[in-house]
Amino acid sequence: MFENLQDRLNNAFSQLTSRGHLSEADVDSALREVRIALLEADVNFKLVKDFIKRIRERTVGIELSKAITPGQQVVKIVHEELLVTLGEPAKLNLGGGSPHVIMMVGLQGSGKTTTSAKLALHLRKAKYSPLLVAADTRRPAAIEQLAVLGRELNIPVHREDTSISPPQICANAINVAKANAYNVVILDTAGRLQIDETLMGELEEIKTRTSPQEILLVADSMTGQEAVRVSKGFHEKVDVTGLILTKIDGDARGGAAISIRSVTGVPIKFLGVGEKSSDLEVFHPDRLASRILGMGDILSLIEKAEDVIDEEVAERGAKRLMEGNFNLEDFLEQLQQIKKLGSINKVLDMIPGMGKMAQDIPKDEMEKQLKKTQAIINSMTTKERRNSRILNGSRKRRVAKGSGTKVQDINQLLSQFRQMQKMMKQLKNPRARQKMMKMFDGLM
Amino acid sequence: MFKKLFGGKSIKEAFSGQKIKESLTRTRNSFFGQISGLFGGEVIEDDMWEDLESLLIQADVGVETSMQLVETVRDRVQLEGITRPADAQEIFREEMKKLLEGHEESAVEKQRILTVILVVGVNGSGKTTTIAKLASLYKQEGKRVLLAAGDTFRAAAIDQLKIWGERSDTPVIALEPGADPGAVIYDALKSSYARKTDIVLIDTAGRLHTKFNLMKELEKLRGIAAKQVHEAPHETLLVLDATTGQNAISQAVHFKKSVEITGVVLTKLDGTAKGGAVFAIGKELGVPVRFIGTGESMDDLMPFDPEAFVNGLFEDVSISDDEEKEEE
């Protein structure tokens, strides 16, 4: 649905032939595109206005570079400005006396309980001993939810009956922490609307009674224009000290981060990136900026690849490829590596410029095909994998049966694989290799 | 309660008036109030169109939809030779309604032995709470309702549904946490026949629409319902948080693709959020809003009526909201 801002700007500048400086008219047409991109990313309307003003001041009259296109020049400026707004990532402030108190606040459904558990796990890994506090007495089974998460992670949870007031529960929890030498207390408060005076009053009372070092606003990365009002509401009442942006593993562009940052001025401390308790990440401003501009998240992809892909296996595969000895066994090994990156969908989404292209790729089909290929190779004997030539009719029938496919599927895979082998053999020729590299350059 | 209050009128009729207006007061004052204000002048000025567009964008209607809406209205105003802002407002109102109207009626109303409603959505949108509210609403209509605890993934989601079930005295079919949600649905539908249930509401685990495997699982769950009950699910509701911005459209697209959503429930409208994304969803996908959620208690759910929704938004408002003025 969304084009990449870079493509848009290139388009806007396609008429630009004159060398020298960007004229006001050039800039205006570019800024229209920037404005739309930011609004589509859910950056607050008013902030976009200010933002565009700033970019305009920086852009009008700049000298056109020979090295990069005008579009790239503008994107660079926008990117830089976004970085300034997003600010530096910050660590938790756990100074002062023990136990350190962290209070989690936010709207209903923003992900406070899940994030509380993630944060507790994160802190335990950093050698703290956390205590989780179930202070949401309103939502049915919220206490139980935290208790279950605590049990799973083997992290203690302080809970009381729903008839006890949340400020009282929190105050009691501090005493429990002191008595049991827990050095961090995480208060999971109930979700509430920032305009609900009674409940916001309750938050203030919890704050007064527990003096938290950190008050973290948990916000859904999918939030729209409301982000400003919501964060303003919470910040005015309890002085938020940091932000956690959740559900960033979806496809929201996350412009709300800009809105919340601008309103509160407090740093973004973590991102929630998945449903597992370990899915809490440190915030990288440059990645979020690229994402807001719809420019993919190649850095995250690379990092993930570094994380999950076994270098040795990858190298072994590359070596055998170059030697022309690549067999089905190697192929399977490499496929399994790729699969570790996640679904094809997810991988494609992270590649810059794929935004629009990715829609045209039949990802479900690709996913299915990948599974099928894996099943077929898995059903072969080691001997067959190493030398696919020995696969005769009866062997193929056996493999088809074993993998739940048809003989045609196996023939298709083999013919594709042989073509690939042939291509690889050609790659031994340095000139062909150069040609191939050039082709890749064109794609990037 | 509904029957008693409204003397046998259908819920939809009963709500088309006062209550929707009341519940939307906040939205009205802060946003659409300004829109009415825009049309308050003597002559139509160029600024008006720009301001109108900016207000729509600020209500999460989206750049594209807002621009198109304004353009359509502007063209019509010109074509029809309209000079008074008040008449332009009337056209604007009509065009807004158009985006929300003209969709198929809910299939739930049809007579059948067992009606199956599947409830889906991203994490934290309010599925379980919405199911509790729907159960209460249908029970008040005199229907026999059963809940299927299909969210076996999130910690204590089953307990949450069970507590709601107890409060509204509705049976809940559940297996242990981590169980196959397909098995829960199978059990629930089997037991619905035995209990002569009228409506089964199926809760599902929240999932981001970009998660391939989880969306596949949802397709499978839908398939299980379809196999057990003729033409089920009769309604598949996407629960959408009104606070959500442009991503709402992506959610609707993906969920429609995998499980053919037939309606949207717009939740958390009791805050300051406007949920303007539903206009784009109506325009692009033709998926109507069926209900709106306006609070945490069991009765805070209302059938959605585009006519009343848009009309309510325009009535009796002033632009005295200081904060808003300052923002402009």
Side-chain angles (χ1 to χ4, degrees), chain A residues 138 226 229 249 251 275, chain B residues 153 211 250 272 296 324:
Chain A
R138 292 172 59 83
E226 278 305 292
R229 236 180 291 244
D249 46 332
D251 61 352
E275 303 207 15
Chain B
F153 178 79
K211 307 256 166 178
S250 180
T272 47
E296 287 184 326
E324 290 295 328

Side-chain angles (χ1 to χ4, degrees), chain A residues 1-2 35-36 39-42 44-46 49 107-110 114 138-142 144-146 148-149 152 191-195 199 220 222-230 232 247-253 273-276 343 345-346 349 363-364 367-368 371, chain B residues 26 30 53-55 57-60 63-64 67 122-125 129 153-157 159-161 163-164 167 206-214 216 219 241-251 253-254 257 268 270-274 296 323-324 326-328:
Chain A
M1 194 175 311
F2 306 113
R35 175 177 175 268
I36 292 175
L39 287 173
E40 278 178 350
D42 289 324
N44 181 268
F45 183 83
K46 259 183 54 208
K49 250 187 187 167
L107 294 179
Q108 288 95 339
S110 57
T114 309
R138 292 172 59 83
R139 182 164 57 94
E144 192 54 33
Q145 185 183 351
L146 195 68
V148 170
L149 290 171
E152 278 170 13
R192 65 200 75 213
L193 291 167
Q194 83 281 6
I195 48 167
L199 287 182
D220 189 326
M222 298 181 276
T223 310
Q225 297 287 320
E226 278 305 292
V228 161
R229 236 180 291 244
V230 171
K232 202 191 254 171
K247 307 179 207 171
I248 200 95
D249 46 332
D251 61 352
R253 299 266 287 278
V273 295
E275 303 207 15
K276 289 197 298 286
S343 70
N345 230 334
K346 211 166 147 190
D349 277 347
K363 280 159 282 195
D364 303 5
E367 197 85 37
K368 251 192 229 155
K371 255 199 195 136
Chain B
R26 208 173 278 131
S30 63
E53 187 188 303
S54 80
L55 284 174
I57 290 171
Q58 288 178 72
D60 288 319
V63 184
E64 208 186 300
M67 276 171 16
V122 300
N123 315 63
S125 56
T129 310
F153 178 79
R154 184 172 56 99
D159 298 301
Q160 189 181 346
L161 196 68
I163 293 172
W164 281 118
R167 287 186 193 170
R207 64 201 75 215
L208 288 175
H209 48 290
T210 48
K211 307 256 166 178
F212 181 83
N213 292 334
L214 294 178
K216 279 284 167 208
E219 276 176 46
D241 184 334
T243 327
T244 309
Q246 296 313 295
N247 195 250
I249 300 155
S250 180
Q251 289 176 26
V253 168
H254 282 84
K257 202 175 141 209
K268 310 183 197 173
D270 46 334
T272 47
K274 286 104 192 172
E296 287 184 326
E323 185 207 8
E324 290 295 328
E326 170 206 85
E327 273 187 23
E328 262 310 288

Side-chain angles (χ1 to χ4, degrees), chain A residues 264-380:
Chain A
T264 61
V266 301
I268 299 172
K269 302 218 165 172
F270 294 99
L271 304 178
V273 295
E275 303 207 15
K276 289 197 298 286
S277 289
S278 56
D279 290 334
L280 189 72
E281 264 181 18
V282 179
F283 155 69
H284 297 275
D286 46 343
R287 292 185 198 174
L288 194 58
S290 299
R291 184 187 175 117
I292 289 170
L293 295 177
M295 292 168 63
D297 197 357
I298 195 80
L299 286 167
S300 294
L301 181 63
I302 292 169
E303 193 169 84
K304 180 120 199 240
E306 280 170 353
D307 231 33
V308 299
I309 285 183
D310 188 331
E311 229 172 280
E312 249 174 66
V313 176
E315 242 167 66
R316 191 162 63 224
K319 199 167 153 234
R320 293 182 67 92
L321 254 177
M322 285 322 212
E323 288 165 355
N325 294 329
F326 198 71
N327 62 31
L328 281 170
E329 203 172 31
D330 302 316
F331 188 49
L332 181 67
E333 207 175 47
Q334 301 302 326
L335 274 187
Q336 279 157 349
Q337 293 278 313
I338 293 172
K339 282 213 86 168
K340 279 199 224 159
L341 281 175
S343 70
I344 290 187
N345 230 334
K346 211 166 147 190
V347 173
L348 285 180
D349 277 347
M350 282 196 268
I351 300 175
M354 285 301 278
K356 200 170 180 212
M357 233 155 63
Q359 283 178 30
D360 303 327
I361 297 174
K363 280 159 282 195
D364 303 5
E365 274 308 305
M366 272 171 79
E367 197 85 37
K368 251 192 229 155
Q369 195 60 42
L370 207 68
K371 255 199 195 136
K372 215 187 216 176
T373 306
Q374 244 182 327
I376 291 174
I377 304 178
N378 274 330
S379 301
M380 292 179 184

Side-chain angles (χ1 to χ4, degrees), chain A residues 16 52 99 181 207 245:
Chain A
L16 195 74
I52 294 290
K207 184 185 170 184
L245 218 54

